[in-house]
Amino acid sequence: MKILAVGDSYMPARYFADAFAGLASSHEIEYLEIDAARPFAPSSRSELALREYQGSPSELVERLDGAHVLVVHGAPVTDAVIGASDELALVCCARGGPVNVDVEAVTAHGLPLVNTPGKNAEAVADLTLAFLVMLARGLPKAQRFLEDGNRLRDNWDGARFIGSDPRGHVLGLVGYGHVGRRVAQRALAFGMRVVVYDPFVDVDEYAEQVETLHELLACADFVSLHARATMENQNLIDAAAIATMKPGAFLVNTARETLLDETALDAALASGHVAGAALDVVRAGAASGRHRLLRHDNVVLTPHLGGATYETLLQGAEMIAEEIVRFAAGEPLVNVVNREAVAA
């Protein structure tokens, strides 16, 4: 088969090249680095349906002729791209959510679209535990103390920074998917008790399941969000939910910004009801400059770097390579986004 693998500035093609090394003897593989500066003004329905992409579909159209498999990370895949090769039989997107792919167009051509769910789960779980420790030990406040030019006079002066161990505390996980399960495993190693609210799954031996969000919020010393971003979950943690949290609890969000009402969190931090928060995702706002939540010295913000590791990118490419091997062998694909539509 002929495979076109397209890299971008976030996930360069070298990750695909490393993961596809075992395919080179059996398939013709061409690598393309998308030109992020190439002009592209979306106008058609298919083009306007895309989000979070890089480059222009025209660059893929120019290189796709004769390809059986198209592999992308962030390159835009439109109906024009899908129609550029009569031989195209499989479309692969090395992301958890293929928002840069017109799934409707792929399905209309009768092609399977595979993605890489959970590729970043290990990295996000690691960051979540790092956040828990930072909050428990009061690291945001301690770091700002030094950033402001202060110094400890002696060991006794350090009493102002005494924090807590995670051990013996209750971690409440809202959502128990790829990331939530891994967070639970890590938290047990820290000596924490883990409770879970997720009405769509049954928990395993790592956690205890509660029936309602209220029950979880009322008992957890740390609340960590790992739910999907759906319309139903918009502002899942709002002022009413925060009011039911255990006074002095901490809040962590390494999932999606839409799960949390930041205005309600801001007020709860100001009142002291929430003892601290660590967020890897925040809502985009019109205001520029320092984020309002950083006015509190018990807040950690990071710029959506939960899955930003070399290992995560390579794992995504390896997951795609495994799907291509299955496809070439005529075996069932695993992570098919449009399975029902293609089957129909």
Side-chain angles (χ1 to χ4, degrees):
M1 296 189 303
K2 180 179 178 181
I3 302 169
L4 176 64
V6 186
D8 52 61
S9 66
Y10 191 94
M11 184 174 181
R14 67 176 182 272
Y15 289 98
F16 292 124
D18 289 345
F20 292 4
L23 302 174
S25 62
S26 304
H27 307 284
E28 177 187 351
I29 308 176
E30 182 179 351
Y31 297 99
L32 168 66
E33 210 72 68
I34 200 75
D35 182 0
R38 187 158 175 164
F40 171 47
S43 57
S44 70
R45 182 216 61 81
S46 182
E47 294 169 347
L48 292 170
L50 309 187
R51 294 186 292 112
E52 296 179 10
Y53 57 83
Q54 190 174 74
S56 169
S58 61
E59 191 170 6
L60 275 65
V61 170
E62 294 167 3
R63 302 286 290 272
L64 198 60
D65 186 37
H68 301 89
V69 179
L70 171 62
V71 179
V72 301
H73 172 257
V77 180
T78 63
D79 53 358
V81 172
I82 300 303
S85 173
D86 294 335
E87 307 299 321
L88 194 62
L90 176 65
V91 180
C92 310
C93 181
R95 302 175 77 168
V99 295
N100 54 301
V101 178
D102 183 352
V103 180
E104 184 178 324
V106 177
T107 302
H109 282 77
L111 305 178
L113 168 64
V114 297
N115 66 333
T116 57
K119 72 168 187 178
N120 65 353
E122 299 288 349
V124 176
D126 287 344
L127 182 65
T128 301
L129 266 295
F131 278 170
L132 294 179
V133 173
M134 292 175 73
L135 292 175
R137 298 297 301 272
L139 294 190
K141 181 179 180 180
Q143 183 176 25
R144 293 187 190 187
F145 173 82
L146 295 176
E147 286 177 346
D148 290 341
N150 298 306
R151 296 289 187 273
L152 290 182
R153 295 186 298 269
D154 51 44
N155 287 342
W156 311 110
D157 198 30
R160 73 183 73 184
F161 300 116
I162 292 177
S164 294
D165 294 337
R167 58 178 172 170
H169 290 89
V170 178
L171 170 61
L173 302 178
V174 181
Y176 204 62
H178 291 291
V179 177
R181 283 183 168 82
R182 288 166 171 82
V183 171
Q185 295 168 12
R186 288 159 170 76
L188 289 182
F190 277 80
M192 304 186 79
R193 173 191 166 204
V194 182
V195 297
V196 171
Y197 169 69
D198 190 330
F200 303 104
V201 302
D202 293 323
V203 304
D204 46 31
E205 69 274 18
Y206 300 110
E208 308 166 30
Q209 192 156 19
V210 295
E211 295 298 321
T212 66
L213 178 61
H214 180 280
E215 186 179 353
L216 180 141
L217 296 176
C219 75
D221 301 298
F222 297 84
V223 176
S224 188
L225 307 184
H226 303 286
R228 293 181 179 275
T230 64
M231 290 301 295
E232 294 75 21
N233 283 343
Q234 286 270 358
N235 289 327
L236 179 66
I237 306 300
D238 57 9
I242 291 174
T244 66
M245 286 177 63
K246 188 175 180 180
F250 297 95
L251 180 64
V252 173
N253 186 10
T254 55
R256 289 292 182 265
E257 66 279 3
T258 56
L259 299 174
L260 176 63
D261 182 338
E262 292 175 6
T263 298
L265 174 61
D266 188 25
L269 288 165
S271 71
H273 182 70
V274 171
L279 313 177
D280 186 42
V281 286
V282 295
R283 293 176 185 264
S288 59
R290 188 177 177 86
H291 195 282
R292 59 177 173 170
L293 291 177
L294 288 175
R295 70 189 180 95
H296 306 286
D297 64 4
N298 52 357
V299 168
V300 178
L301 296 186
T302 51
H304 200 178
L305 51 74
T309 69
Y310 298 112
E311 291 80 5
T312 289
L313 295 177
L314 181 58
Q315 181 167 329
E318 289 172 343
M319 292 173 72
I320 294 298
E322 292 167 359
E323 294 283 26
I324 294 174
V325 169
R326 295 185 191 102
F327 185 77
E331 299 174 356
L333 299 170
V334 174
N335 297 308
V336 184
V337 174
N338 56 345
R339 186 182 301 276
E340 292 183 3
V342 171

